[in-house]
Amino acid sequence: MACQRSPFRVQTPDRRYFQDMQQKPDLVVLNTEALTMDASQPQAQAVAVAKERILAVGSDEEIKGLAGPDTEIIDGQGLTLLPGFIDSHIHLLSLARTTQELDCRPDKASSVTAIAHRVFEWARIVPPGEWVRCFGYDDLALDERRHPTRHDLDKISPRHPVRLDHRSGHATVLNSVGLQMAGIDAETPDPVEGVIDRDANSEPT
């Protein structure tokens, strides 16, 4: 759903706009708190949509008056309504989660040793038994040119489960406590289209 500017304001709507509108909306949403993303009219009570584009926003009375015989009318039940987002592969929820996690990107930690030091300092403020969550390491940018292992993390955080996510989001390192809590051991099969890195004894690394 794309958003276009409305030619009226909530306080003083131009009723001629509604009277002159010939295109009937496919959808009308009433009784909502619509956030328009328009600084001149940040909120509206109702929205009219045609062919996946927003035709108009305004009061319930104004927008309901635009409906034709084939218009679908939805009661928004007072809930918040937002225009459609175009996601350019930004992983919005993952980005939000990183605000609560330890940053281990190369500019913060350029080696496995540096990552271990940052995890150690972070774990000091996390109650024992709670997860220490970290993100952003890049094996190709580390001095050692390798992935950290559970052994690296065990040395500095034996009482916390530790999760260290690769910058790609497609690899994760857990320490021994984390592996145990996740139920991953030598008998655990590889996930579909994935692999658990193991040592010579088939133990997860």
Side-chain angles (χ1 to χ4, degrees), residues 8 11 19 43-44 53 56 76 80 85 92 108 136 140 142 151 161 182-183 194:
F8 60 89
Q11 295 85 353
Q19 294 168 356
Q43 294 183 335
R53 293 190 66 85
T80 300
F85 292 104
L92 188 60
K108 302 293 184 182
L140 298 179
L142 297 177
H151 304 294

Side-chain angles (χ1 to χ4, degrees), residues 22-95:
Q22 296 181 357
Q23 183 179 17
K24 294 300 181 182
D26 305 316
L27 171 68
V28 161
V29 183
L30 306 174
N31 183 28
T32 186
E33 185 176 328
L35 305 183
T36 68
M37 309 302 168
D38 184 343
S40 67
Q41 182 185 351
Q43 294 183 335
Q45 190 179 27
V47 179
V49 179
K51 297 181 180 179
E52 298 186 351
R53 293 190 66 85
I54 296 175
L55 290 179
V57 297
S59 68
D60 281 347
E61 179 184 359
E62 292 162 340
I63 299 302
K64 189 174 183 179
L66 301 178
D70 299 322
T71 300
E72 179 183 4
I73 298 178
I74 295 177
D75 180 359
Q77 301 180 26
L79 299 176
T80 300
L81 181 66
L82 299 172
F85 292 104
I86 298 175
D87 184 356
S88 56
H89 205 143
I90 62 173
H91 294 288
L92 188 60
L93 293 180
S94 296
L95 177 63

Side-chain angles (χ1 to χ4, degrees), residues 172-194:
T172 296
V173 182
L174 301 178
N175 68 344
S176 293
V177 178
L179 287 167
Q180 183 178 13
M181 291 184 67
I184 300 173
D185 56 26
E187 304 300 321
T188 303
D190 288 345
V192 177
E193 298 185 0

Side-chain angles (χ1 to χ4, degrees), residues 86-138:
I86 298 175
D87 184 356
S88 56
H89 205 143
I90 62 173
H91 294 288
L92 188 60
L93 293 180
S94 296
L95 177 63
R97 189 186 67 222
T98 61
T99 63
Q100 305 298 316
E101 298 180 344
L102 177 64
D103 188 350
C104 290
R105 287 176 291 184
D107 62 323
K108 302 293 184 182
S110 60
S111 67
V112 173
T113 300
I115 290 175
H117 178 73
R118 286 180 65 80
V119 173
F120 174 77
E121 293 297 327
W122 185 265
R124 293 175 64 181
I125 63 174
V126 177
E130 292 191 12
W131 281 92
V132 175
R133 300 180 184 274
C134 321
F135 75 95
Y137 89 90
D138 183 350

